[in-house]
Amino acid sequence: TVVTDQGKPAKIPFSVTLNKGEVYQVQSLNRRNLAGQGDLSGSYIRANKPVALYSGNFSAVIPAESGVGGYDHLFEQMPPLQTWGREYYTVPLLTRRADRYRLIAAEDNTSVQIGSRPRRVINKGEWFEFLLQSNEPTRIIADKPVMLAQFSQSNTADSNGDPFMIILSSVSQSKNDVTFVAYNSNQIRDYFVNVVSPTSETGNILFDGNP
């Protein structure tokens, strides 16, 4: 979608051949006052054999506005198109005033409804961002597959914590069992977990074996 740091022009396909275990990195060109650079969001990657794709930014502020401080890296594995969903539930991050979201479409003429907000229509590879406040858990419905990312904002935008990025799972990707680790740290004392469940199943949720 934009010029790469190796000089590949925007919106012109190019091919790379990889062998097992090899890695290829694509970065956007980011030099001051140069047109056609910046955000790689919406770029389309297709492979003839299975690959894993990781995406992010080595040092970003959220939102990307002048005067915002609090840099950190963003890094997530991108789910393949066949796992994208049409229904999502967002949960506010505890201790934050608001969360920023980015939604991207897999197909043209995708209609998206975010809670009670006006419906929006976007095309393949197009995306938009929106803000939900700390009291706005929200249902998001699309008529075609979409991917949804949730972002913690930088501390000068939200006065608490560093930015980070989470790829949200759609309702169709719900799991019965999830394993995760909270790493020991002398700087982080509190950990938070967001769980979304059908109301009928809340009595069956166990954490470390306990209700």
Side-chain angles (χ1 to χ4, degrees):
T1 56
V2 295
V3 179
T4 75
D5 65 341
Q6 298 300 311
K8 300 289 187 182
K11 300 180 181 179
I12 303 298
F14 63 94
S15 297
V16 176
T17 299
L18 298 174
N19 291 318
K20 180 179 179 180
E22 290 184 338
V23 174
Y24 184 80
Q25 185 180 55
V26 180
Q27 288 182 287
S28 62
L29 186 65
N30 288 289
R31 298 177 184 169
R32 291 182 181 276
N33 304 318
L34 199 64
Q37 58 182 333
D39 196 331
L40 282 164
S41 293
S43 299
Y44 183 65
I45 296 104
R46 182 176 59 193
N48 65 345
K49 297 177 182 178
V51 295
L53 175 66
Y54 294 86
S55 178
N57 189 308
F58 77 93
S59 184
V61 295
I62 300 175
E65 296 175 357
S66 177
V68 173
Y71 289 79
D72 216 333
H73 68 280
L74 310 176
F75 187 71
E76 273 279 16
Q77 184 170 352
M78 298 292 103
L81 289 174
Q82 63 266 29
T83 67
W84 291 18
R86 294 176 172 83
E87 182 179 11
Y88 293 82
Y89 286 89
T90 67
V91 179
L93 298 172
L94 202 63
T95 77
R96 304 298 202 268
R97 292 198 297 261
D99 301 323
R100 188 168 296 270
Y101 297 82
R102 179 176 288 196
L103 185 145
I104 186 168
E107 300 177 18
D108 289 339
N109 297 313
T110 298
S111 178
V112 181
Q113 181 76 52
I114 301 171
S116 60
R117 300 183 182 193
R119 186 173 293 272
R120 295 188 61 164
V121 177
I122 56 176
N123 291 321
K124 176 182 176 180
E126 291 184 344
W127 54 269
F128 65 91
E129 290 186 354
F130 56 95
L131 205 65
L132 293 175
Q133 301 301 315
S134 62
N135 61 347
E136 286 189 281
T138 301
R139 183 190 189 201
I140 297 175
I141 296 288
D143 64 346
K144 297 175 183 177
V146 296
M147 184 173 71
L148 183 64
Q150 182 175 5
F151 298 87
S152 166
Q153 299 192 107
S154 294
N155 56 38
T156 58
D158 207 333
S159 74
N160 194 343
D162 291 326
F164 60 81
M165 165 187 179
I166 309 169
I167 301 298
L168 298 185
S169 297
S170 68
V171 170
S172 62
Q173 293 292 319
S174 296
K175 303 295 182 185
N176 288 336
D177 298 281
V178 179
T179 300
F180 62 91
V181 174
Y183 295 96
N184 292 325
S185 170
N186 58 8
Q187 297 180 344
I188 301 174
R189 298 181 180 179
D190 298 312
Y191 295 85
F192 303 100
V193 179
N194 286 343
V195 178
V196 178
S197 167
T199 303
S200 60
E201 298 296 328
T202 55
N204 296 323
I205 297 176
L206 303 179
F207 179 66
D208 283 347
N210 300 311

